[in-house]
Amino acid sequence: MSQTVTKSAPAAEPSRPVAVDGPNESFRFPLLALFIGAAVWLVLSSVLSLIASIKFHGPGFLADFAWLTYGRVRPASTTALVYGFCIPAGMGVMIWILGRLGQVRLALPLLVVGGAASWNLGVAMGVYGILNGDSSGFQGLEIPGYAAATLFMGYSLLGIAALITFHRRVQRNLFVSHWFFIAAIFWFPWIFSTAALLLLGAPVRGVAQALIAWWYSANLHLVWMSLVGLGTAFYLIAKFTGRELQSRYLGLFAFWLILLVVSWTGVPKAAPVPAWLPALSTVTGVMLVLLPITVMVMVYQTLDGKCSLLWESLSTRFVRVGVMCFVLASVMWVLRYAPRVSGMVEFTWFQSAEAQLRLSGFFSMIVFGAIYYILPQIAGAGSRGGVLARVHFWLALGGILLAVLPLAIGGFVEGSKLQNPNIAFVDVMKLTLRFLRLSTIGELLILAGNLLLLLNLMGLTVSFYRTKAAVALRGALEETVPVGVRA
Amino acid sequence: MNLGPLIFLAAFFALSASWFGLVLKPQMQIGRLTQTNVLGGAVAYPVARPGLAQQGLEVYRAYGCAQCHSKNINQSGTALEVLLTDPGTNRPGLMAALKQVKPGFADAEADALLASLPAKLATFEKRDAADAAIKTIGSSSAKAQLNLVPYGPDIARGWGKRRSVAEDYLFDRSVLLGSQRIGPDLSNVGLRQPDMNWHLRHLYAPRSEVKGSTMAPHPFLFEKRKLGRAASPEALKLTGDYAPPAGYEIVPRPDAVALAAYLTSLRADAPLFSVPMSAPAAAQNATNAPAAAGATNAAAQ
């Protein structure tokens, strides 16, 4: 019932020219700082990922440099993607939506700028550390301990600004996106501090380390990213179609599903730990299948079956692809725990494909959509960067398809061959090379798309501030010119 | 409808539940894990790795070896094999028992079977059936023995003798299990390839040791030195395409030696209470630690 209240007011927003001193202005510099920093890391991550991928064309590629060895480039690339792009860009989008839904200015913009600076410094230290050999080695948390503290501080500043903005809201109603975002804002510091303390600070003994790494990784990739990504998707879909989200109860169900069920998955089925742990993760991992179903029903009902509505604007086009990738990635996650299939896909490229689909397909696409929606509102009307953005969309879509599909299929082939001990391991690896080399093309397209995003962001920012400076200069000149001359 | 506090509490409750279940509880269980005994012996397991191998684990971590190599053996199940160890003196009784245990057993096969003892008679899935078979054999004056043999694709590949368990990693700082097998599993690489020099040559030029290997060479772990008056004792013995140009030699840096020491120390094949198996006598001294120290010239550094 309350959904309509906000939905009706800002529905006309995208087309409205931005008032220079409107509430949006408070968001401008902090969000541009977050987004541009994120885009720089995004490009760097795809460059590193491309290097890692080319290594499968010839193992001798760049092999003479210790810092460019596959075991360092690969984690540096995912760290740049997850910590450099996904988290700060996600925070920026959340801060914006919290402000819009509450119809308030950004609280403490300086805190966000400081948070972005601290966070980006932490990511730089982390990526440098990994390339330099200080990686912790734990998948999902490869950053060295010294980067973790800076990251935590940066996140705290961003989180506090987001929460205060939320607290000061004028529009007091809570929407589905609110629940998702508030839970996500609290969720990350808890899992991150636990993992950083127990893995990097004072490491626990034995295989408990691996358990904590799995728990952290699943909570970051499945819980935090689902909360942020889906919350953003729900907001954008409702906003662009002008329809109420259907329904609040399904949203509540998805929310509880993520919090209570998905947070328990992550331990691989054949992990060398007490058997109750993989069993628990298997049950929750299979129950996760309810989540994509719920999301599909929600989107379908909200659109009243007219899914083509999402094709009409560029932002929702990104969202549409993002939601589809979310459904696919979730199904792939369930397959990891499905009987028979799980033994086959474990330790293969299939899992990399799932992770990439979740990061580049689901989360990044939805955040791209949100960024392209937010940009014109904070950097002036007419700054859609139309062509660049449209080309970015197609490059990203093609890149994801070409990067993920070969890996997923190759993973299945690899897994089924590995089950047969009569096929030599080296021969199985040679078989997967074909798929890996195909996915290099996808990596290349993704890199090109990400470059366009960065160019777009930089171009907009420069042109916006240049215009602003020109206006200010003209104003200043007019004031100093003697009155007689002006007449 | 202001559900703010409720949602906060819900998130808090859900997160603490997952935290208690997947962080605190396992830590209470695994954190209390102590050394155990190798099954059927008074040998402690595991034993901490020697210092050089522990340094090698740091190198393993720093170069991200776990990105391509897992250290986690899977096992599909445990087969119960009934072995005939002693034919006894009651030949007709034994033949009758054998026919019962092995349906379709022909008298003509008996001599071949008895010539190579202990001989495998049958494999069972269930303990009851295996026990019944042993009892049947024992009803003649013959003796049979039960062997527990783990099986699965990983084991068939020779990557391990049994599945990995929590005890295997007890003393490792940075437990890097790996999630992908771009290269083979390394849980027992020290058992498969105990020669440190092999590992050094393989790190320098993987294809010199494994034909068609897709592993990246790690030349930065080695030093290309001008040959002095005599070749260094620790220089790699490379041949063919991989040999250095005349007048030069390839010498491992300390990192490479430590890494090779770590790799040769990887061996997790002791039969334990949690993974019972009938191991040959050699497994008695399985320590998850390297073979005798100083076994190679490189280790002398």
Side-chain angles (χ1 to χ4, degrees):
Chain A
M1 62 226 132
S2 44
Q3 294 255 339
T4 32
V5 181
T6 20
K7 289 288 129 57
S8 57
E13 230 171 66
S15 54
R16 195 181 68 192
V18 174
V20 179
D21 285 307
N24 291 344
E25 204 208 9
S26 59
F27 290 92
R28 182 183 302 130
F29 186 72
L31 286 197
L32 283 177
L34 272 174
F35 290 157
I36 290 180
V40 170
W41 286 117
L42 185 65
V43 169
L44 192 81
S45 131
S46 20
V47 170
L48 290 171
S49 176
L50 186 66
I51 293 175
S53 186
I54 293 177
K55 286 191 181 266
F56 289 105
H57 294 249
F61 177 70
L62 295 178
D64 289 338
F65 308 98
W67 65 280
L68 281 178
T69 195
Y70 180 83
R72 290 186 183 180
V73 172
R74 170 62 69 201
S77 152
T78 41
T79 300
L81 179 60
V82 172
Y83 295 89
F85 175 75
C86 291
I87 294 177
M91 286 303 278
V93 169
M94 280 201 286
I95 286 172
W96 166 263
I97 296 179
L98 286 176
R100 291 316 308 146
L101 285 179
Q103 296 176 354
V104 280
R105 290 163 176 274
L106 173 60
L108 310 173
L110 269 183
L111 216 56
V112 179
V113 176
S118 171
W119 180 269
N120 282 316
L121 180 70
V123 178
M125 282 156 71
V127 171
Y128 174 81
I130 291 169
L131 292 176
N132 201 29
D134 289 344
S135 154
S136 73
F138 298 110
Q139 252 162 25
L141 190 72
E142 280 101 345
I143 50 156
Y146 50 76
T150 320
L151 284 175
F152 190 80
M153 203 177 79
Y155 185 91
S156 308
L157 297 182
L158 294 175
I160 289 169
L163 288 176
I164 294 180
T165 307
F166 168 70
H167 182 74
R168 287 188 186 164
R169 67 195 187 279
V170 177
Q171 168 58 254
R172 298 299 293 180
N173 289 320
L174 286 182
F175 305 110
V176 176
S177 299
H178 273 128
W179 313 338
F180 280 57
F181 289 167
I182 299 305
I185 288 170
F186 282 113
W187 206 268
F188 181 79
W190 191 337
I191 58 170
F192 185 74
S193 57
T194 298
L197 283 177
L198 298 184
L199 292 180
L200 312 177
V204 292
R205 283 172 80 226
V207 86
Q209 292 182 1
L211 264 177
I212 291 170
W214 285 320
W215 173 80
Y216 168 74
S217 192
N219 269 280
L220 178 61
H221 290 92
L222 277 88
V223 176
W224 194 86
M225 288 197 183
S226 297
L227 288 173
V228 179
L230 291 178
T232 308
F234 293 155
Y235 172 80
L236 288 177
I237 290 174
K239 172 127 287 189
F240 270 89
T241 55
R243 291 160 188 261
E244 215 176 302
L245 189 66
Q246 299 290 342
S247 67
R248 211 176 159 85
Y249 295 103
L250 280 175
L252 197 64
F253 179 67
F255 180 70
W256 279 106
L257 203 60
I258 296 175
L259 258 51
L260 280 178
V261 174
V262 180
S263 62
W264 286 83
T265 187
V267 182
K269 233 179 157 182
V273 292
W276 63 272
L277 285 159
L280 200 59
S281 270
T282 303
V283 172
T284 48
V286 171
M287 277 170 77
L288 189 141
V289 78
L290 292 173
L291 184 59
I293 295 175
T294 313
V295 171
M296 276 197 297
V297 170
M298 284 175 77
V299 172
Y300 189 82
Q301 286 192 350
T302 304
L303 298 173
D304 205 10
K306 299 187 193 83
C307 291
S308 57
L309 281 177
L310 290 184
W311 207 250
E312 282 169 11
S313 95
L314 186 70
S315 288
T316 43
R317 227 182 263 184
F318 275 105
V319 170
R320 180 178 175 163
V321 173
V323 170
M324 278 155 72
C325 288
F326 174 78
V327 172
L328 276 179
S330 304
V331 171
M332 282 171 83
W333 180 272
V334 173
L335 283 181
R336 283 182 60 166
Y337 288 104
R340 280 169 198 280
V341 189
S342 73
M344 228 167 72
V345 297
E346 189 158 32
F347 298 121
T348 68
W349 284 101
F350 186 81
Q351 299 187 12
S352 299
E354 187 269 336
Q356 189 163 16
L357 190 62
R358 191 174 293 281
L359 293 176
S360 306
F362 156 59
F363 194 81
S364 299
M365 285 303 253
I366 286 178
V367 168
F368 291 154
I371 290 179
Y372 283 125
Y373 163 69
I374 296 170
L375 266 188
Q377 306 186 51
I378 57 174
S383 56
R384 284 269 163 108
V387 181
L388 282 187
R390 231 166 290 146
V391 177
H392 176 197
F393 173 77
W394 287 110
L395 283 175
L397 180 59
I400 290 161
L401 284 178
L402 274 174
V404 172
L405 262 184
L407 286 191
I409 298 168
F412 254 112
V413 174
E414 180 193 1
S416 59
K417 301 274 178 199
L418 280 179
Q419 294 292 304
N420 179 357
N422 294 324
I423 306 175
F425 184 78
V426 172
D427 294 335
V428 180
M429 286 305 107
K430 278 187 188 153
L431 200 76
T432 60
L433 284 185
R434 222 171 297 160
F435 298 101
L436 290 172
R437 288 171 185 171
L438 198 58
S439 77
T440 307
I441 306 171
E443 301 278 356
L444 201 65
L445 293 183
I446 290 178
L447 168 64
N450 293 344
L451 264 174
L452 288 185
L453 174 74
L454 181 63
L455 279 180
N456 209 343
L457 271 169
M458 301 274 254
L460 285 184
T461 311
V462 169
S463 73
F464 176 80
Y465 281 104
R466 190 185 283 159
T467 319
K468 205 178 163 194
V471 169
L473 189 67
R474 199 180 308 140
L477 280 177
E478 278 173 6
E479 267 174 33
T480 48
V481 173
V483 181
V485 178
R486 201 192 287 171
Chain B
M1 182 154 62
N2 190 353
L3 291 170
L6 196 66
I7 286 159
F8 176 80
L9 279 178
F12 184 82
F13 166 74
L15 184 50
S16 38
S18 146
W19 188 84
F20 274 105
L22 288 185
V23 175
L24 191 65
K25 184 71 185 57
Q27 165 59 16
M28 280 159 61
Q29 191 176 359
I30 298 170
R32 285 184 192 153
L33 213 60
T34 50
Q35 265 187 335
T36 171
N37 273 356
V38 173
L39 213 58
V43 183
Y45 182 90
V47 175
R49 295 174 207 283
L52 192 62
Q54 283 182 23
Q55 286 174 35
L57 176 54
E58 292 290 298
V59 181
Y60 188 90
R61 170 191 61 70
Y63 286 99
C65 303
Q67 292 287 325
C68 295
H69 294 281
S70 62
K71 278 187 284 186
N72 183 7
I73 298 290
N74 288 354
Q75 171 179 331
S76 312
T78 305
L80 305 171
E81 283 182 355
V82 172
L83 298 185
L84 180 63
T85 48
D86 179 5
T89 48
N90 180 3
R91 178 76 183 246
L94 175 62
M95 294 313 286
L98 282 177
K99 276 176 189 156
Q100 238 182 333
V101 175
K102 278 173 84 136
F105 182 78
D107 291 341
E109 298 168 41
D111 287 331
L113 186 84
L114 293 177
S116 58
L117 290 181
K120 187 169 124 185
L121 295 180
T123 307
F124 297 94
E125 288 287 332
K126 293 260 188 285
R127 184 67 195 250
D128 296 351
D131 281 346
I134 291 176
K135 211 170 167 191
T136 314
I137 300 286
S139 62
S140 70
S141 63
K143 284 194 184 106
Q145 177 194 325
L146 182 67
N147 254 13
L148 304 178
V149 183
Y151 65 89
D154 292 357
I155 293 164
R157 270 185 197 283
W159 285 347
K161 300 218 157 107
R162 57 156 171 84
R163 70 183 168 89
S164 306
V165 287
E167 284 88 346
D168 295 337
Y169 313 93
L170 192 58
F171 293 131
D172 284 342
R173 270 312 257 279
S174 295
V175 175
L176 308 173
L177 297 177
S179 67
Q180 222 186 332
R181 287 175 178 162
I182 304 175
D185 189 279
L186 297 182
S187 306
N188 288 285
V189 73
L191 201 63
R192 291 205 290 280
Q193 197 49 263
D195 178 8
M196 244 169 97
N197 287 312
W198 183 93
H199 284 288
L200 289 172
R201 288 195 300 272
H202 184 251
L203 284 170
Y204 177 73
R207 290 176 190 215
S208 70
E209 297 299 326
V210 180
K211 205 167 155 261
S213 165
T214 50
M215 176 170 148
H218 291 68
F220 43 81
L221 290 173
F222 299 84
E223 193 182 346
K224 190 173 162 188
R225 264 204 317 232
K226 242 196 178 126
L227 212 53
R229 211 169 286 165
S232 312
E234 68 268 29
L236 299 190
K237 292 176 181 58
L238 297 158
T239 52
D241 294 346
Y242 305 100
Y248 287 89
E249 60 182 0
I250 304 294
V251 179
R253 293 179 198 272
D255 269 5
V257 178
L259 184 55
Y262 172 66
L263 291 173
T264 50
S265 82
L266 281 169
R267 139 163 220 200
D269 62 338
L272 303 175
F273 179 74
S274 48
V275 267
M277 64 173 188
S278 305
Q284 287 287 318
N285 53 14
T287 56
N288 204 1
T296 61
N297 53 5
Q301 255 199 352

